[in-house]
Amino acid sequence: MSDGPDRPDVDVEHLDGPPPISAELRAKILSDPNVAKIAAELEMSLDEFVNTVGYYLNNPGVEPAFLVVSDENLRKMGVEPPTAEAIEANVRASVEAIKAGQAPSGFDDQRKKAVELSPTGKAVQANPDQGLEDAVKQGRNPLKP
């Protein structure tokens, strides 16, 4: 697998980090004053962060990589590997969060039927009061008799 049009000679499957990017793209990314702050917040070196951003700019269709790290290597990095129970709890919590996001909010009222039916099954007929209708019409437009 190669690294797109910018660096066709770089095999990204065997890299420890993103491949280097062009000087022009590096300058463009570094022109944003927040880049250094974001890199520090993510605990990444500025160079690694800029190369990562540049890689995804150069390859917009590429999905982020999913990396599998052995428990031994995690411990070397100072991270205690999660237990099977912790992973299961995380997956269950994620599923519940997704379900909650898809559930109705409670603000949506049940829709009422357009026509109410009487107990006999026949449509309810309105018996309008002609005097009331005339008063309403007169109130809407007082200039008409």
Side-chain angles (χ1 to χ4, degrees):
M1 180 175 164
S2 66
D3 181 39
D6 226 19
R7 299 281 311 262
D9 58 321
V10 178
D11 187 5
V12 294
E13 289 182 9
H14 302 296
L15 288 175
D16 291 332
I21 59 172
S22 68
E24 296 82 22
L25 185 56
R26 173 176 300 285
K28 183 177 179 182
I29 294 169
L30 288 172
S31 68
D32 184 335
N34 294 313
V35 169
K37 294 175 191 173
I38 295 170
E41 193 69 30
L42 294 173
E43 298 178 359
M44 294 176 74
S45 72
L46 182 60
D47 189 52
E48 181 183 7
F49 181 74
V50 170
N51 284 335
T52 301
V53 171
Y55 175 76
Y56 288 108
L57 284 171
N58 285 333
N59 302 284
V62 173
E63 293 289 326
F66 178 76
L67 302 175
V68 177
V69 180
S70 70
D71 289 355
E72 179 183 318
N73 285 340
L74 280 176
R75 286 188 184 98
K76 286 180 186 175
M77 292 187 285
V79 177
E80 188 58 34
T83 64
E85 293 80 15
I87 293 171
E88 180 182 356
N90 184 283
V91 169
R92 289 185 187 279
S94 297
V95 168
E96 290 302 316
I98 291 168
K99 284 181 183 177
Q102 295 173 343
S105 66
F107 291 103
D108 298 328
D109 291 333
Q110 295 293 330
R111 296 200 181 257
K112 295 181 181 177
K113 294 181 182 177
V115 177
E116 292 187 29
L117 299 178
S118 68
T120 62
K122 295 181 181 177
V124 177
Q125 298 295 321
N127 295 324
D129 179 352
Q130 192 60 41
L132 180 60
E133 278 190 24
D134 291 341
V136 169
K137 287 179 184 175
Q138 186 65 29
R140 287 187 192 157
N141 191 352
L143 299 177
K144 285 188 175 180

